[in-house]
Amino acid sequence: MKNTINIWVGLIVIALVSMASVTQIKKITYSVKKIDTKWYVVNEQNKAMPIEANRNDDIEWAAEGSDMVFQFPQELSVYFTKEDGSTVGTGYYIEVKDGKKLKLKVKNDAPLGRYVYSVLVKKDGTFAEGSSPPILIIR
């Protein structure tokens, strides 16, 4: 009887921990767009802030006004998967068409740290600014 109770208590604890970790996953939404005369990587309040993400968080960048090329310091597969968990490939960059979104999930084993990435705005042949330059912090 005592073993059965211990097993049930253990299963409940595992379920609660699993639920807690799922609820902590968040979706981070940014846009790349022209404000006045410059292109920026901005949050939903149009502020150029570093992206702060935890492992397993979803990050979404919307390309507004131009096709764009996002480039990261290492292969995308080091940091991300697609939202559905499938592979993003082995390249350092990914192209996003105007009006589309780049949706990536931070891998559960992504290296922690502060990473500078770039966004080339093809229409104007210039780079978007973020927190000058755009920064991704994985914590």
Side-chain angles (χ1 to χ4, degrees), residues 52 90 120:
E52 294 188 36
T90 58
L120 173 65

Side-chain angles (χ1 to χ4, degrees), residues 34 39 43 49 56 60 81-82 86 89 101-102 110 122:
K34 197 171 203 175
W39 291 90
N43 64 15
M49 306 282 292
N56 295 314
E60 178 180 288
T81 64
K82 292 181 182 175
S86 63
K101 295 178 180 179
L102 174 58
K122 292 178 93 175

Side-chain angles (χ1 to χ4, degrees), residues 25 59 108 124 129:
I25 296 172
I59 305 175
N108 63 3
D124 290 349
E129 297 180 24

